[in-house]
C-alpha cells in the first residue's frame, strides 16, 4: 500500500526563522505536488515537481524532489505570519494519476 | 482563468438521505476526480473518471457512492444513503491529459450529515 508520510505534523515557529517540512513516499513516482490549505478553504497549488532533482522556489518557499530517496522537502526561509496554513504533499501515481496525500503539516508562524 | 466550480458550497442532510454533489470541471479537461477530507484530516482519493467510466476507485468508494457525467459539463458524486461518517469536505478535481499534467481542484462542498 502506498504511504505518503509528512513530518512534522505540527510546526510552530517564530517569524524570521527557517524550517523544513519533509515528505516521504513509498512508491516509485516522479510527480510530486505541494499544496497549501487555509482553514475551510480548498487546496492551493504551490509547486509541481516532475523530475528527480527538481527544485522550485516561490517567495519564501522552496521545494525539492529526490526520487531515488523518495523524498521531497519544503523549505521555509524567514517565515512570516502569512505563511500560517496547512501544507500537504501529494504523490501522483498510476496511469490515471490518482493522487495520494500526506497527512499535512499545520504551520503556525508566531510574531 | 478557467477554474473548477462546485455546488453547493455547503449541504446539510439527514442521515439516510441521498445527496448529489455537483462539479463543473475545466472545459477542455478529460480526467475527473473526487476527493474527500474529513475535518482536520488528510485529503483522501475517492474515484477517478475518464472516457465516461470509472478508472480507479479507493476502498472508501463503496456501493453507496456513484459518479456520473450526465452532460458535457457536469460531473456528479451521488451518495445514496448518507451516514454520519460521510460528513466531510468533498473536492472535485480535473486535469487535461494523463501523465504530467496538474490536477486543478474546486473550492469544495462541505457535507454535513445530521
Amino acid at each position: 500500500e502506498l504511504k505518503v508520510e509528512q513530518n512534522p505534523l505540527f510546526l510552530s515557529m517564530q517569524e524570521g526563522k527557517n524550517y523544513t517540512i519533509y515528505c516521504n513516499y513509498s512508491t516509485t513516482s516522479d510527480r510530486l505536488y505541494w499544496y497549501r490549505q487555509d482553514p475551510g478553504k480548498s487546496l492551493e497549488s504551490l509547486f509541481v515537481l516532475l523530475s528527480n532533482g527538481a527544485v522550485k522556489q516561490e517567495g519564501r518557499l522552496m521545494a525539492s524532489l529526490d526520487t531515488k530517496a523518495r523524498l521531497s522537502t519544503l523549505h521555509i526561509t524567514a517565515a512570516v505570519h502569512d505563511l500560517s496554513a496547512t501544507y500537504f504533499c501529494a504523490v501522483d501515481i498510476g496511469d490515471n494519476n490518482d493522487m495520494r496525500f500526506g497527512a499535512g503539516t499545520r504551520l503556525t508562524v508566531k510574531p | 482563468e478557467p477554474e473548477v466550480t462546485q455546488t453547493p458550497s455547503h449541504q446539510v442532510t439527514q442521515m439516510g438521505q441521498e445527496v448529489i454533489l455537483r462539479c463543473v470541471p475545466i472545459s477542455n479537461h478529460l480526467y475527473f476526480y473526487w476527493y474527500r477530507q474529513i475535518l482536520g484530516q488528510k485529503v483522501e482519493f475517492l474515484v477517478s473518471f475518464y472516457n465516461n467510466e470509472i478508472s480507479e476507485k479507493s476502498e472508501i468508494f463503496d456501493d453507496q457512492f456513484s459518479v456520473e457525467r450526465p452532460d458535457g459539463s457536469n460531473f456528479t458524486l451521488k451518495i445514496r444513503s448518507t451516514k454520519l461518517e460521510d460528513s466531510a469536505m468533498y473536492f472535485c478535481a480535473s486535469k487535461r491529459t494523463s501523465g504530467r499534467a496538474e490536477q486543478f481542484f474546486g473550492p469544495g462542498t462541505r457535507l454535513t450529515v445530521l
Side-chain angles (χ1 to χ4, degrees), chain B residues 22-40:
Chain B
R22 300 180 195 281
C23 168
V24 179
I26 295 173
S27 63
N28 62 349
H29 285 193
L30 301 176
Y31 294 79
F32 313 114
Y33 307 83
W34 283 102
Y35 295 85
R36 176 182 86 175
Q37 185 181 32
I38 295 171
L39 185 64

PDB file of all heavy atoms in Angstrom, chain B residues 22-40:
ATOM      1  N   ARG B  22     -22.262  18.424  -7.057  1.00  0.00           N
ATOM      2  CA  ARG B  22     -22.029  18.754  -8.464  1.00  0.00           C
ATOM      3  C   ARG B  22     -20.725  19.493  -8.677  1.00  0.00           C
ATOM      4  O   ARG B  22     -20.306  20.301  -7.845  1.00  0.00           O
ATOM      5  CB  ARG B  22     -23.187  19.606  -8.992  1.00  0.00           C
ATOM      6  CG  ARG B  22     -24.514  18.900  -8.891  1.00  0.00           C
ATOM      7  CD  ARG B  22     -25.658  19.742  -9.404  1.00  0.00           C
ATOM      8  NE  ARG B  22     -26.928  19.156  -8.966  1.00  0.00           N
ATOM      9  CZ  ARG B  22     -27.519  18.110  -9.545  1.00  0.00           C
ATOM     10  NH1 ARG B  22     -26.963  17.542 -10.582  1.00  0.00           N
ATOM     11  NH2 ARG B  22     -28.660  17.638  -9.077  1.00  0.00           N
ATOM     12  N   CYS B  23     -20.143  19.200  -9.811  1.00  0.00           N
ATOM     13  CA  CYS B  23     -18.856  19.806 -10.170  1.00  0.00           C
ATOM     14  C   CYS B  23     -18.912  20.156 -11.652  1.00  0.00           C
ATOM     15  O   CYS B  23     -19.482  19.406 -12.453  1.00  0.00           O
ATOM     16  CB  CYS B  23     -17.746  18.791  -9.904  1.00  0.00           C
ATOM     17  SG  CYS B  23     -16.133  19.206 -10.585  1.00  0.00           S
ATOM     18  N   VAL B  24     -18.359  21.296 -11.992  1.00  0.00           N
ATOM     19  CA  VAL B  24     -18.142  21.631 -13.396  1.00  0.00           C
ATOM     20  C   VAL B  24     -16.643  21.732 -13.601  1.00  0.00           C
ATOM     21  O   VAL B  24     -16.001  22.699 -13.152  1.00  0.00           O
ATOM     22  CB  VAL B  24     -18.829  22.941 -13.794  1.00  0.00           C
ATOM     23  CG1 VAL B  24     -18.550  23.260 -15.271  1.00  0.00           C
ATOM     24  CG2 VAL B  24     -20.324  22.857 -13.537  1.00  0.00           C
ATOM     25  N   PRO B  25     -16.052  20.713 -14.221  1.00  0.00           N
ATOM     26  CA  PRO B  25     -14.601  20.752 -14.447  1.00  0.00           C
ATOM     27  C   PRO B  25     -14.237  21.822 -15.475  1.00  0.00           C
ATOM     28  O   PRO B  25     -15.102  22.379 -16.148  1.00  0.00           O
ATOM     29  CB  PRO B  25     -14.312  19.351 -14.996  1.00  0.00           C
ATOM     30  CG  PRO B  25     -15.505  18.526 -14.672  1.00  0.00           C
ATOM     31  CD  PRO B  25     -16.660  19.472 -14.663  1.00  0.00           C
ATOM     32  N   ILE B  26     -12.967  22.070 -15.606  1.00  0.00           N
ATOM     33  CA  ILE B  26     -12.480  22.989 -16.633  1.00  0.00           C
ATOM     34  C   ILE B  26     -12.808  22.397 -17.998  1.00  0.00           C
ATOM     35  O   ILE B  26     -12.653  21.186 -18.215  1.00  0.00           O
ATOM     36  CB  ILE B  26     -10.970  23.247 -16.450  1.00  0.00           C
ATOM     37  CG1 ILE B  26     -10.759  23.983 -15.118  1.00  0.00           C
ATOM     38  CG2 ILE B  26     -10.396  24.047 -17.613  1.00  0.00           C
ATOM     39  CD1 ILE B  26      -9.328  24.160 -14.710  1.00  0.00           C
ATOM     40  N   SER B  27     -13.225  23.244 -18.931  1.00  0.00           N
ATOM     41  CA  SER B  27     -13.944  22.759 -20.112  1.00  0.00           C
ATOM     42  C   SER B  27     -13.157  21.819 -21.005  1.00  0.00           C
ATOM     43  O   SER B  27     -13.729  20.916 -21.582  1.00  0.00           O
ATOM     44  CB  SER B  27     -14.467  23.937 -20.933  1.00  0.00           C
ATOM     45  OG  SER B  27     -13.369  24.693 -21.415  1.00  0.00           O
ATOM     46  N   ASN B  28     -11.886  21.961 -21.170  1.00  0.00           N
ATOM     47  CA  ASN B  28     -11.162  21.068 -22.074  1.00  0.00           C
ATOM     48  C   ASN B  28     -10.446  19.941 -21.330  1.00  0.00           C
ATOM     49  O   ASN B  28      -9.593  19.263 -21.899  1.00  0.00           O
ATOM     50  CB  ASN B  28     -10.161  21.864 -22.924  1.00  0.00           C
ATOM     51  CG  ASN B  28      -9.102  22.542 -22.080  1.00  0.00           C
ATOM     52  OD1 ASN B  28      -9.214  22.590 -20.859  1.00  0.00           O
ATOM     53  ND2 ASN B  28      -8.077  23.054 -22.721  1.00  0.00           N
ATOM     54  N   HIS B  29     -10.842  19.727 -20.080  1.00  0.00           N
ATOM     55  CA  HIS B  29     -10.235  18.657 -19.293  1.00  0.00           C
ATOM     56  C   HIS B  29     -10.965  17.335 -19.520  1.00  0.00           C
ATOM     57  O   HIS B  29     -12.176  17.302 -19.762  1.00  0.00           O
ATOM     58  CB  HIS B  29     -10.244  19.020 -17.804  1.00  0.00           C
ATOM     59  CG  HIS B  29      -9.195  20.042 -17.465  1.00  0.00           C
ATOM     60  ND1 HIS B  29      -8.837  20.322 -16.159  1.00  0.00           N
ATOM     61  CD2 HIS B  29      -8.425  20.828 -18.243  1.00  0.00           C
ATOM     62  CE1 HIS B  29      -7.892  21.242 -16.155  1.00  0.00           C
ATOM     63  NE2 HIS B  29      -7.627  21.576 -17.415  1.00  0.00           N
ATOM     64  N   LEU B  30     -10.190  16.253 -19.435  1.00  0.00           N
ATOM     65  CA  LEU B  30     -10.732  14.937 -19.766  1.00  0.00           C
ATOM     66  C   LEU B  30     -10.738  13.968 -18.586  1.00  0.00           C
ATOM     67  O   LEU B  30     -11.411  12.944 -18.645  1.00  0.00           O
ATOM     68  CB  LEU B  30      -9.902  14.316 -20.902  1.00  0.00           C
ATOM     69  CG  LEU B  30      -9.842  15.126 -22.199  1.00  0.00           C
ATOM     70  CD1 LEU B  30      -8.902  14.436 -23.196  1.00  0.00           C
ATOM     71  CD2 LEU B  30     -11.232  15.277 -22.813  1.00  0.00           C
ATOM     72  N   TYR B  31      -9.986  14.290 -17.548  1.00  0.00           N
ATOM     73  CA  TYR B  31      -9.851  13.384 -16.405  1.00  0.00           C
ATOM     74  C   TYR B  31     -10.462  14.077 -15.194  1.00  0.00           C
ATOM     75  O   TYR B  31     -10.170  15.242 -14.923  1.00  0.00           O
ATOM     76  CB  TYR B  31      -8.379  13.062 -16.133  1.00  0.00           C
ATOM     77  CG  TYR B  31      -7.739  12.265 -17.238  1.00  0.00           C
ATOM     78  CD1 TYR B  31      -7.307  12.884 -18.409  1.00  0.00           C
ATOM     79  CD2 TYR B  31      -7.565  10.892 -17.122  1.00  0.00           C
ATOM     80  CE1 TYR B  31      -6.747  12.155 -19.444  1.00  0.00           C
ATOM     81  CE2 TYR B  31      -6.993  10.154 -18.135  1.00  0.00           C
ATOM     82  CZ  TYR B  31      -6.589  10.787 -19.296  1.00  0.00           C
ATOM     83  OH  TYR B  31      -6.029  10.061 -20.311  1.00  0.00           O
ATOM     84  N   PHE B  32     -11.263  13.332 -14.454  1.00  0.00           N
ATOM     85  CA  PHE B  32     -12.013  13.936 -13.357  1.00  0.00           C
ATOM     86  C   PHE B  32     -11.856  13.087 -12.100  1.00  0.00           C
ATOM     87  O   PHE B  32     -11.731  11.854 -12.180  1.00  0.00           O
ATOM     88  CB  PHE B  32     -13.500  14.053 -13.730  1.00  0.00           C
ATOM     89  CG  PHE B  32     -13.715  14.622 -15.101  1.00  0.00           C
ATOM     90  CD1 PHE B  32     -14.264  13.853 -16.116  1.00  0.00           C
ATOM     91  CD2 PHE B  32     -13.347  15.932 -15.389  1.00  0.00           C
ATOM     92  CE1 PHE B  32     -14.450  14.374 -17.386  1.00  0.00           C
ATOM     93  CE2 PHE B  32     -13.521  16.459 -16.657  1.00  0.00           C
ATOM     94  CZ  PHE B  32     -14.067  15.672 -17.660  1.00  0.00           C
ATOM     95  N   TYR B  33     -11.882  13.774 -10.971  1.00  0.00           N
ATOM     96  CA  TYR B  33     -11.587  13.107  -9.698  1.00  0.00           C
ATOM     97  C   TYR B  33     -12.490  13.656  -8.595  1.00  0.00           C
ATOM     98  O   TYR B  33     -12.880  14.829  -8.622  1.00  0.00           O
ATOM     99  CB  TYR B  33     -10.134  13.376  -9.284  1.00  0.00           C
ATOM    100  CG  TYR B  33      -9.108  13.034 -10.341  1.00  0.00           C
ATOM    101  CD1 TYR B  33      -8.813  13.933 -11.358  1.00  0.00           C
ATOM    102  CD2 TYR B  33      -8.446  11.817 -10.333  1.00  0.00           C
ATOM    103  CE1 TYR B  33      -7.886  13.627 -12.350  1.00  0.00           C
ATOM    104  CE2 TYR B  33      -7.516  11.503 -11.312  1.00  0.00           C
ATOM    105  CZ  TYR B  33      -7.242  12.413 -12.315  1.00  0.00           C
ATOM    106  OH  TYR B  33      -6.316  12.104 -13.289  1.00  0.00           O
ATOM    107  N   TRP B  34     -12.765  12.802  -7.636  1.00  0.00           N
ATOM    108  CA  TRP B  34     -13.365  13.241  -6.376  1.00  0.00           C
ATOM    109  C   TRP B  34     -12.452  12.822  -5.240  1.00  0.00           C
ATOM    110  O   TRP B  34     -11.924  11.689  -5.210  1.00  0.00           O
ATOM    111  CB  TRP B  34     -14.747  12.621  -6.151  1.00  0.00           C
ATOM    112  CG  TRP B  34     -15.838  13.257  -6.944  1.00  0.00           C
ATOM    113  CD1 TRP B  34     -16.412  12.798  -8.080  1.00  0.00           C
ATOM    114  CD2 TRP B  34     -16.504  14.497  -6.654  1.00  0.00           C
ATOM    115  NE1 TRP B  34     -17.389  13.648  -8.525  1.00  0.00           N
ATOM    116  CE2 TRP B  34     -17.465  14.704  -7.666  1.00  0.00           C
ATOM    117  CE3 TRP B  34     -16.405  15.449  -5.632  1.00  0.00           C
ATOM    118  CZ2 TRP B  34     -18.308  15.816  -7.693  1.00  0.00           C
ATOM    119  CZ3 TRP B  34     -17.235  16.553  -5.653  1.00  0.00           C
ATOM    120  CH2 TRP B  34     -18.169  16.728  -6.674  1.00  0.00           C
ATOM    121  N   TYR B  35     -12.299  13.761  -4.293  1.00  0.00           N
ATOM    122  CA  TYR B  35     -11.536  13.527  -3.078  1.00  0.00           C
ATOM    123  C   TYR B  35     -12.405  13.931  -1.893  1.00  0.00           C
ATOM    124  O   TYR B  35     -13.315  14.757  -2.018  1.00  0.00           O
ATOM    125  CB  TYR B  35     -10.256  14.369  -3.056  1.00  0.00           C
ATOM    126  CG  TYR B  35      -9.245  14.028  -4.112  1.00  0.00           C
ATOM    127  CD1 TYR B  35      -9.335  14.579  -5.388  1.00  0.00           C
ATOM    128  CD2 TYR B  35      -8.201  13.150  -3.853  1.00  0.00           C
ATOM    129  CE1 TYR B  35      -8.402  14.268  -6.367  1.00  0.00           C
ATOM    130  CE2 TYR B  35      -7.259  12.843  -4.835  1.00  0.00           C
ATOM    131  CZ  TYR B  35      -7.375  13.402  -6.073  1.00  0.00           C
ATOM    132  OH  TYR B  35      -6.452  13.092  -7.046  1.00  0.00           O
ATOM    133  N   ARG B  36     -12.059  13.375  -0.740  1.00  0.00           N
ATOM    134  CA  ARG B  36     -12.790  13.695   0.481  1.00  0.00           C
ATOM    135  C   ARG B  36     -11.801  14.109   1.562  1.00  0.00           C
ATOM    136  O   ARG B  36     -10.690  13.569   1.638  1.00  0.00           O
ATOM    137  CB  ARG B  36     -13.556  12.446   0.938  1.00  0.00           C
ATOM    138  CG  ARG B  36     -14.283  12.591   2.236  1.00  0.00           C
ATOM    139  CD  ARG B  36     -14.960  11.299   2.624  1.00  0.00           C
ATOM    140  NE  ARG B  36     -14.063  10.404   3.353  1.00  0.00           N
ATOM    141  CZ  ARG B  36     -14.458   9.249   3.883  1.00  0.00           C
ATOM    142  NH1 ARG B  36     -15.702   8.855   3.739  1.00  0.00           N
ATOM    143  NH2 ARG B  36     -13.595   8.500   4.536  1.00  0.00           N
ATOM    144  N   GLN B  37     -12.223  15.070   2.377  1.00  0.00           N
ATOM    145  CA  GLN B  37     -11.392  15.462   3.515  1.00  0.00           C
ATOM    146  C   GLN B  37     -12.277  15.592   4.742  1.00  0.00           C
ATOM    147  O   GLN B  37     -13.075  16.536   4.842  1.00  0.00           O
ATOM    148  CB  GLN B  37     -10.660  16.778   3.242  1.00  0.00           C
ATOM    149  CG  GLN B  37      -9.685  17.163   4.342  1.00  0.00           C
ATOM    150  CD  GLN B  37      -8.982  18.477   4.071  1.00  0.00           C
ATOM    151  OE1 GLN B  37      -9.532  19.377   3.455  1.00  0.00           O
ATOM    152  NE2 GLN B  37      -7.751  18.596   4.527  1.00  0.00           N
ATOM    153  N   ILE B  38     -12.155  14.641   5.644  1.00  0.00           N
ATOM    154  CA  ILE B  38     -12.841  14.742   6.926  1.00  0.00           C
ATOM    155  C   ILE B  38     -12.150  15.844   7.724  1.00  0.00           C
ATOM    156  O   ILE B  38     -10.926  16.013   7.635  1.00  0.00           O
ATOM    157  CB  ILE B  38     -12.814  13.394   7.661  1.00  0.00           C
ATOM    158  CG1 ILE B  38     -13.628  12.375   6.859  1.00  0.00           C
ATOM    159  CG2 ILE B  38     -13.350  13.510   9.075  1.00  0.00           C
ATOM    160  CD1 ILE B  38     -13.518  10.950   7.336  1.00  0.00           C
ATOM    161  N   LEU B  39     -12.949  16.580   8.471  1.00  0.00           N
ATOM    162  CA  LEU B  39     -12.443  17.759   9.170  1.00  0.00           C
ATOM    163  C   LEU B  39     -11.160  17.472   9.937  1.00  0.00           C
ATOM    164  O   LEU B  39     -11.108  16.553  10.776  1.00  0.00           O
ATOM    165  CB  LEU B  39     -13.513  18.291  10.122  1.00  0.00           C
ATOM    166  CG  LEU B  39     -13.181  19.586  10.845  1.00  0.00           C
ATOM    167  CD1 LEU B  39     -13.033  20.738   9.862  1.00  0.00           C
ATOM    168  CD2 LEU B  39     -14.256  19.906  11.887  1.00  0.00           C
ATOM    169  N   GLY B  40     -10.132  18.247   9.626  1.00  0.00           N
ATOM    170  CA  GLY B  40      -8.866  18.129  10.355  1.00  0.00           C
ATOM    171  C   GLY B  40      -7.988  16.980   9.901  1.00  0.00           C
ATOM    172  O   GLY B  40      -6.923  16.755  10.481  1.00  0.00           O
TER     173      GLY B  40
END
